[in-house]
Amino acid sequence: MDFTSGTATYPAPAAGHLDFTGACAPSHDNPASQCANCPVKVRCLTSGTTEWETVHFARLALGRRRARKGQAVYRVGDRFLFVYAVRFGSFKSTIVLPDGREQVVAFHLPGDVVGLDATATGAHPTTLTALENAEICAIPYSQLSDVSAESRTLREHLVRIAGSELVRDHKLLALIAHSHAEERVAAFLVQLSERMQERGYSPREFNLRMTRADIGSYLGTTLETVSRTLSAFARRGIVSVERRRIQVLDMDALRAARAYA
Amino acid sequence: MDFTSGTATYPAPAAGHLDFTGACAPSHDNPASQCANCPVKVRCLTSGTTEWETVHFARLALGRRRARKGQAVYRVGDRFLFVYAVRFGSFKSTIVLPDGREQVVAFHLPGDVVGLDATATGAHPTTLTALENAEICAIPYSQLSDVSAESRTLREHLVRIAGSELVRDHKLLALIAHSHAEERVAAFLVQLSERMQERGYSPREFNLRMTRADIGSYLGTTLETVSRTLSAFARRGIVSVERRRIQVLDMDALRAARAYA
DNA sequence: CGTCCGTTTGAATGTGTTCAATGGAAGTGG
DNA sequence: CCACTTCCATTGAACACATTCAAACGGACG
């Protein structure tokens, strides 16, 4: 994680997007220019579209929104109007259990497109909460649907985003259903490490932006178990844990510990 | 389940579709007539489309396929060419764990549309296996994408199908992550009961078409625990269990036992 | 400077797993 | 058509793992 501080040691994306307090207009920019400069465009909706298609895409009335740590972009039950793309910062998606507790179902990093699950009912089934100060791009879904009529790439990309989420959910399901706490935490760290690397950050050193409770909820255990497991990994020299700062000392051992893809 | 035998006691769909050995052509029917007569069309892709859109939909080269109990329609890694709609019978979707074991991620009933998760990579991430003799409709995805360019309803329906799956997965995730075995089994039975009712069958009496091992895998527990839990419910008079035949004797108690939506 | 939140660690408890054996149903092949 | 085989389900007992309850520590923030 750690998308706001400048701790990336790997070839980081142009540092401009880290400027949380920057002077960019907060909403309804021209999407063509907005997307052209967006550091995460390769992961976003426009990925793979031709120039011709980008013209159509430019018709979208995109809006940027900032979210402070702990703030919700949308909540369970909110009317579905926008799909969102993370520009920088990180988020968690949670559902509300019948007893009122929260269950984390996903963590989102820059470039992730979020909210398509709301197409099921027209209302958001999840709450999207910022884990740190962050910025997100709001894309009107009805307009997106219009534009996708004229672009096969975009049309299929929309379904592919949902499909990718399904694949991830199934892997998570398998992880929770058939592995022990240690394997879950290892898998979580490896997954995070890989996602960091994909975004140009170090896969071996990063900050967790979520609490132990969030991780525990996501992995189907308790915060105590997460804490104990991290300590155990540290004791064995696999990682170094210092509050939320994680250093992977032995990636092979970590991968071996997860026993899951 | 029990979609092949004639045990439905509720207003059942026209019995014609139960004719597994019927004389219907095995593939490449005219979709217009095929869909018009399909007993599950209200749940399928054409749901909500106007007559005008149905004309476009008729361009699709649909193909029917039969699957015997235990046969796979597609396997992990197979190239993604078709989306499938269950006509009758039931299926399970499984992923393969690194150690070779199988993990059930979904059960499918008539009208369910399956396979969109393959859009993520162009290859199927799951194996689709028939739990009984069944029939399924194969829809070429590229053609579907073409047609959806001209129908907003179909376009959004495609995304909605994936979105609905996401919502179900998240609920399953929460169930496995934060509840005990008894609640999981109760939730499974209630969910199945509701899906039976939606399809015009009795919500209080049905056959499980999957093994205890399948249920256990799906619920993140073992077959022994499933068996024990069912026995416990039977002992308390909540259900009657006779091999795979389930009778819900006290639906309120069953709903209360799950403590989950 | 004080409070609160998040994290770590300990100890006891309980739930589900694992290993094992049995019984029965269904399907196969002679 | 019967016998055999195989798969599926049930139940028991010992064990292991994670949860729960509890306390203490440290950092962050007002």
Side-chain angles (χ1 to χ4, degrees):
Chain A
M1 315 263 130
D2 204 2
F3 291 106
T4 49
S5 66
T7 54
T9 57
Y10 263 55
H17 79 291
L18 297 175
D19 179 18
F20 178 72
T21 56
C24 51
S27 64
H28 286 250
D29 278 331
N30 178 324
S33 66
Q34 190 169 326
C35 292
N37 298 328
C38 184
V40 296
K41 65 178 171 185
V42 293
R43 322 191 59 81
C44 194
L45 278 168
T46 52
S47 135
T49 51
T50 64
E51 210 165 311
W52 177 83
E53 289 167 325
T54 307
V55 175
H56 286 294
F57 199 74
R59 295 208 312 264
L60 291 176
L62 299 186
R64 285 190 205 169
R65 295 190 192 172
R66 294 181 188 169
R68 309 185 78 84
K69 180 177 175 178
Q71 277 187 337
V73 175
Y74 55 77
R75 292 175 197 281
V76 170
D78 281 359
R79 195 170 153 210
F80 173 51
L81 294 171
F82 304 97
V83 166
Y84 297 88
V86 178
R87 287 179 60 88
F88 62 83
S90 47
F91 295 82
K92 65 175 174 182
S93 282
T94 56
I95 61 178
V96 179
L97 302 178
D99 61 10
R101 284 181 309 174
E102 272 192 350
Q103 153 81 17
V104 177
V105 296
F107 295 112
H108 307 287
L109 302 187
D112 287 350
V113 177
V114 184
L116 280 175
D117 52 355
T119 53
T121 62
H124 284 284
T126 58
T127 296
L128 182 69
T129 309
L131 294 173
E132 59 191 310
N133 292 342
E135 197 171 280
I136 205 164
C137 199
I139 308 158
Y141 182 66
S142 67
Q143 289 183 28
L144 192 58
S145 183
D146 288 340
V147 173
S148 77
E150 297 166 58
S151 161
R152 165 182 272 266
T153 309
L154 180 57
R155 208 159 58 230
E156 298 191 352
H157 197 54
L158 260 177
V159 180
R160 178 157 55 241
I161 287 168
S164 304
E165 248 185 277
L166 281 171
V167 173
R168 273 192 295 119
D169 283 351
H170 290 165
K171 285 181 181 172
L172 179 60
L173 212 52
L175 186 72
I176 294 182
H178 292 288
S179 72
H180 287 186
E182 206 164 270
E183 303 173 295
R184 298 185 201 182
V185 175
F188 171 75
L189 291 177
V190 170
Q191 186 207 42
L192 204 53
S193 165
E194 287 172 351
R195 293 173 77 187
M196 293 296 295
Q197 190 164 29
E198 286 169 12
R199 286 162 179 78
Y201 291 92
S202 168
R204 299 184 53 196
E205 187 173 357
F206 46 86
N207 275 351
L208 304 174
R209 309 305 301 198
M210 66 292 285
T211 67
R212 301 287 192 266
D214 284 336
I215 300 173
S217 171
Y218 180 70
L219 295 177
T221 64
T222 60
L223 67 97
E224 291 96 331
T225 299
V226 172
S227 178
R228 268 186 258 270
T229 306
L230 287 175
S231 299
F233 284 159
R235 221 173 296 125
R236 284 186 245 160
I238 297 175
V239 299
S240 150
V241 181
E242 195 183 333
R243 197 160 173 75
R244 299 220 180 153
R245 179 135 215 96
I246 301 287
Q247 274 187 57
V248 180
L249 303 174
D250 187 344
M251 186 65 82
D252 290 340
L254 192 63
R255 288 183 183 279
R258 80 203 198 292
Y260 275 89
Chain B
M1 312 264 142
D2 203 3
F3 291 106
T4 49
S5 65
T7 54
T9 57
Y10 262 57
H17 78 292
L18 296 175
D19 180 19
F20 179 72
T21 57
C24 51
S27 65
H28 286 251
D29 279 332
N30 177 325
S33 66
Q34 190 169 324
C35 293
N37 298 329
C38 184
V40 296
K41 65 178 172 185
V42 294
R43 322 191 59 81
C44 194
L45 277 168
T46 51
S47 134
T49 50
T50 64
E51 210 165 310
W52 177 83
E53 288 168 325
T54 307
V55 174
H56 286 294
F57 199 74
R59 295 209 312 265
L60 291 175
L62 299 186
R64 285 190 206 169
R65 295 189 193 172
R66 294 181 188 170
R68 308 185 78 85
K69 180 177 175 177
Q71 277 187 338
V73 175
Y74 55 77
R75 292 175 198 281
V76 170
D78 282 358
R79 193 169 155 213
F80 173 51
L81 295 171
F82 304 97
V83 166
Y84 297 89
V86 178
R87 287 179 60 87
F88 62 83
S90 48
F91 294 82
K92 65 175 174 182
S93 282
T94 56
I95 61 178
V96 179
L97 302 178
D99 60 9
R101 285 181 310 174
E102 273 193 348
Q103 154 81 17
V104 177
V105 296
F107 295 112
H108 306 288
L109 303 187
D112 287 350
V113 176
V114 184
L116 280 176
D117 53 356
T119 54
T121 61
H124 286 284
T126 57
T127 296
L128 183 68
T129 309
L131 294 172
E132 60 191 309
N133 292 341
E135 198 172 281
I136 205 165
C137 199
I139 307 159
Y141 182 66
S142 68
Q143 289 183 29
L144 191 58
S145 183
D146 288 339
V147 173
S148 76
E150 298 167 57
S151 161
R152 164 182 274 265
T153 308
L154 181 56
R155 208 159 58 232
E156 299 192 351
H157 197 54
L158 261 176
V159 181
R160 177 157 56 241
I161 288 168
S164 304
E165 248 185 278
L166 281 171
V167 173
R168 273 192 294 120
D169 284 351
H170 289 166
K171 285 182 182 173
L172 179 59
L173 211 53
L175 186 72
I176 294 181
H178 291 290
S179 71
H180 287 187
E182 204 164 90
E183 303 173 294
R184 298 185 202 181
V185 175
F188 171 74
L189 292 177
V190 170
Q191 185 208 42
L192 204 53
S193 165
E194 287 172 351
R195 293 173 77 188
M196 293 298 292
Q197 190 164 30
E198 285 168 12
R199 285 162 179 80
Y201 291 92
S202 168
R204 299 184 54 195
E205 188 173 358
F206 46 85
N207 274 353
L208 303 175
R209 308 304 303 198
M210 66 294 283
T211 67
R212 300 286 193 267
D214 285 337
I215 300 173
S217 172
Y218 179 70
L219 295 177
T221 173
T222 61
L223 67 95
E224 291 96 331
T225 299
V226 172
S227 179
R228 269 187 258 269
T229 306
L230 287 175
S231 299
F233 284 159
R235 219 173 298 124
R236 282 187 247 159
I238 296 175
V239 299
S240 151
V241 181
E242 196 183 331
R243 196 159 174 75
R244 298 218 181 155
R245 178 135 216 96
I246 301 288
Q247 274 187 57
V248 180
L249 304 174
D250 188 344
M251 186 65 81
D252 290 340
L254 192 63
R255 288 183 184 278
R258 79 203 199 292
Y260 274 89

